[in-house]
Amino acid sequence: MKNNIIDLTKQLIASPSWVDEKTNEIAIGQFIFVYLKVNSKLNVTKQKIAGGRFNVVAQNSDAVNTLIIGHIDTVQPSQNWSQNPVKPEVVGNKLCGLGSSDMKSGVAAMLVLATSPNLPVGTMFLFYIDEEYDFLGMKGFIKKYKNKIKPERIISLDGS
């Protein structure tokens, strides 16, 4: 697997992750899980949330100082797309595709950071589901971890 942020963003865009009766975040979650298992030294787990959907949690210590978060779902594509929304395309100097700025480029940055050999001890990454809908992933994470971690910093790499 490539560790180039542009290539990773393209791979993430190509994996549909909106939520409807046919599509959800399972495939992109599996990509993230395997990527981190293969390319990082982090303890990587799946936190089951609902209907086979899961958050990916990766950490290098039980004592968490820094929590880095990003959601792995997107909004549903609208009819206004002039190209295939899950076929990443460079137009001029911009990478276009569904979720390119919210939030698949942020997830790619998280993956690159998570594979850094100089990652400070006490770092946890949360790749969570369902931000664009009902926040099921964040609600599940808080329920499980609210009394287990007390990070000094929480960094969100969301597009805005």
Side-chain angles (χ1 to χ4, degrees):
M1 293 184 195
K2 296 182 179 180
N3 200 22
N4 171 295
I5 197 163
I6 301 296
D7 290 334
L8 280 170
T9 303
K10 287 178 178 179
Q11 287 178 283
L12 294 167
I13 290 169
S15 182
S17 59
W18 60 85
V19 178
D20 65 16
E21 60 281 347
K22 296 179 187 175
T23 307
N24 59 39
E25 316 91 340
I26 292 174
I28 197 167
Q30 186 62 27
F31 173 85
I32 292 165
F33 180 80
V34 170
Y35 185 89
L36 292 173
K37 282 285 204 184
V38 169
N39 294 292
S40 80
K41 295 180 180 178
L42 301 172
N43 177 25
V44 185
T45 58
K46 293 179 183 178
Q47 180 193 9
K48 294 178 184 177
I49 301 297
R53 297 161 64 203
F54 55 90
N55 292 335
V56 178
V57 179
Q59 61 195 93
N60 60 9
S61 172
D62 288 333
V64 177
N65 296 320
T66 303
L67 173 61
I68 302 170
I69 66 172
H71 64 91
I72 61 174
D73 62 320
T74 65
V75 296
Q76 293 184 16
S78 73
Q79 299 297 326
N80 298 329
W81 280 89
S82 59
Q83 81 259 9
N84 183 338
V86 294
K87 184 177 180 206
E89 183 179 350
V90 176
V91 179
N93 62 352
K94 295 180 182 179
L95 177 57
C96 299
L98 185 61
S100 58
S101 66
D102 182 16
M103 113 139 254
K104 294 192 175 181
S105 58
V107 170
M110 290 173 66
L111 291 172
V112 170
L113 182 59
T115 61
S116 170
N118 301 318
L119 194 62
V121 174
T123 303
M124 175 186 269
F125 294 87
L126 168 62
F127 301 85
Y128 66 99
I129 66 162
D130 206 55
E131 189 269 354
E132 301 290 357
Y133 304 90
D134 294 318
F135 283 95
L136 293 177
M138 185 55 75
K139 289 174 184 174
F141 178 81
I142 290 170
K143 184 176 180 180
K144 179 175 181 177
Y145 288 94
K146 70 179 174 183
N147 296 318
K148 294 181 181 178
I149 63 170
K150 295 186 189 288
E152 296 173 17
R153 289 168 290 288
I154 299 175
I155 302 167
S156 173
L157 295 180
D158 203 329
S160 57

